Amino acid sequence: MEYKDYYKILGVNKKASQDEIKKAFRKLAVKYHPDKTKGDKASEEKFKEANEANEVLGNPEKRKKYDDLGQNWNQFRPSEEQAGRQSRSYQGQQGYGFGGEDFSDFFEQFFRSSSGGQQFSRSEFQSPGHDLRLDIDITLDEAYHGTTRQFVVDGETLQIKLKPGMYDGQQIKIKGKGGKGRGNGARGDIYGFVHIQKHRRYTVSKNDLHCVVDVDLYTALLGGKTTVETLKGKISMNITAETENGKVLRMKNMGMPFYNEPGKFGDLYAKVNIIMPKNLSEKETELFKQLSEIRNKN
């Protein structure tokens, strides 16, 4: 999600006092409140942004994090002890504070005075719920085969299915399952961000996979076969005679699946790493000397 400058949204500078922030928010909240703008989507979005900015800047602890970390202030990353957790979510506040004042009380007072004494019930005041961020860590194998994750928002257990071919940084939207709105306000959305963990063998480039495959000297010189582990399982790969160290061999359709394109795959590129023989016997040493002499004569 894009970085939001909360100071700019409220129209205050970074040295503004808490009182100045509160006053700036009240001014915007009155101007863009849905009960006053009557369904104007642009005003509703500004109202929502002002609430979000006030929730952060109006809280000294959150404000310090925001000032120190910028766009990453609310980004959660698990510690090593938490690495086994499958997913995590942020649960937003349902109400908006005015230093102890109730949000709807404030607007009841405002609209009562501005409407010539007309009364508004609490149920008439509503605001949309917050959008929430969900970071989802998956393995490369799970990205290849697909997987599911469960998480809890406001006491509700939700399950999402991640299709094969998910890529690192991919964003998914879960509509209407975010923070609950106030009154009859619509519920927010959840924005999920997929993070693929590093694999011990493969690196990923779009839908292609890259790895290193060990080949013994004799197979590299004379040709033969070697076993390669792929995400589909172990397969046998042909090695042509006189294969050079560092040569890259392409294995078609053995890479990552394309998202939402069943049956379509990238390729696997295997870089040959020739393993030199060690602890040669006297017989082997003698034979290599003979080969060297033959080679030098030619």
Side-chain angles (χ1 to χ4, degrees):
M1 300 173 70
E2 63 177 338
Y3 172 62
K4 294 182 179 180
D5 187 337
Y6 292 142
Y7 289 102
K8 185 176 181 181
I9 289 173
L10 294 182
V12 297
N13 62 50
K14 291 187 176 182
K15 294 183 179 180
S17 66
Q18 292 299 113
D19 188 55
E20 288 173 326
I21 288 173
K22 181 191 294 186
K23 289 179 180 178
F25 170 57
R26 285 189 173 188
K27 183 177 179 181
L28 292 175
V30 169
K31 182 177 180 181
Y32 295 116
H33 192 271
D35 286 340
K36 186 177 181 182
T37 55
K38 302 298 182 183
D40 180 9
K41 294 296 183 183
S43 295
E44 182 178 311
E45 186 61 30
K46 288 182 181 296
F47 177 73
K48 186 176 180 181
E49 287 185 342
N51 278 323
E52 184 178 332
N54 180 65
E55 183 180 342
V56 175
L57 300 185
N59 182 309
E61 183 178 343
K62 289 183 179 180
R63 182 180 180 181
K64 186 178 186 304
K65 285 185 180 180
Y66 178 78
D67 289 340
D68 291 341
L69 302 176
Q71 62 179 328
N72 297 317
W73 80 275
N74 201 28
Q75 185 175 350
F76 180 85
R77 288 291 179 270
S79 64
E80 292 182 0
E81 292 80 6
Q82 296 169 310
R85 295 177 60 187
Q86 291 185 328
S87 64
R88 55 213 182 259
S89 64
Y90 297 104
Q91 300 188 17
Q93 300 288 332
Q94 292 186 23
Y96 308 101
F98 287 88
E101 296 179 45
D102 185 83
F103 184 78
S104 56
D105 286 344
F106 167 72
F107 280 105
E108 284 183 23
Q109 295 169 12
F110 171 77
F111 283 106
R112 186 181 299 118
S113 61
S114 62
S115 59
Q118 182 180 354
Q119 298 295 313
F120 291 81
S121 67
R122 284 178 178 264
S123 61
E124 293 180 73
F125 294 95
Q126 62 183 38
S127 61
H130 286 302
D131 292 337
L132 305 180
R133 174 186 176 117
L134 174 70
D135 288 287
I136 309 168
D137 289 333
I138 63 175
T139 65
L140 189 61
D141 293 84
E142 289 176 319
Y144 184 91
H145 296 288
T147 187
T148 59
R149 285 291 188 271
Q150 286 188 345
F151 56 97
V152 178
V153 177
D154 287 336
E156 179 182 1
T157 301
L158 304 175
Q159 179 171 289
I160 57 174
K161 183 178 181 180
L162 302 176
K163 299 179 182 179
M166 299 291 284
Y167 51 86
D168 191 60
Q170 184 169 356
Q171 179 178 322
I172 57 176
K173 181 179 179 181
I174 307 170
K175 189 172 179 61
K177 293 297 183 179
K180 293 180 180 179
R182 194 172 184 84
N184 294 321
R187 193 167 177 176
D189 302 322
I190 296 176
Y191 289 89
F193 293 84
V194 176
H195 307 288
I196 299 180
Q197 300 169 359
K198 288 185 177 180
H199 196 276
R200 62 184 178 85
R201 182 179 300 111
Y202 304 108
T203 57
V204 184
S205 176
K206 295 184 178 179
N207 291 90
D208 294 330
L209 294 174
H210 297 262
C211 71
V212 174
V213 58
D214 292 334
V215 178
D216 67 84
L217 176 64
Y218 307 107
T219 302
L221 285 173
L222 304 175
K225 294 181 179 294
T226 191
T227 300
V228 179
E229 291 188 31
T230 75
L231 293 176
K232 287 184 178 179
K234 293 182 178 181
I235 64 171
S236 181
M237 182 173 68
N238 290 323
I239 303 295
T240 59
E242 300 182 7
T243 292
E244 295 181 358
N245 188 53
K247 183 176 181 179
V248 177
L249 305 176
R250 177 191 177 200
M251 305 177 72
K252 192 174 181 181
N253 295 324
M254 297 303 292
M256 295 296 292
F258 281 73
Y259 184 71
N260 264 347
E261 297 185 52
K264 185 176 180 181
F265 293 83
D267 300 325
L268 171 61
Y269 293 89
K271 183 178 180 181
V272 173
N273 177 45
I274 296 178
I275 304 299
M276 300 298 292
K278 296 181 179 180
N279 302 317
L280 298 177
S281 66
E282 290 183 6
K283 178 82 171 180
E284 288 175 317
T285 300
E286 183 60 33
L287 289 173
F288 272 114
K289 286 180 179 179
Q290 293 178 23
L291 288 172
S292 177
E293 291 173 358
I294 294 171
R295 190 71 178 179
N296 289 332
K297 288 179 181 179
N298 294 336

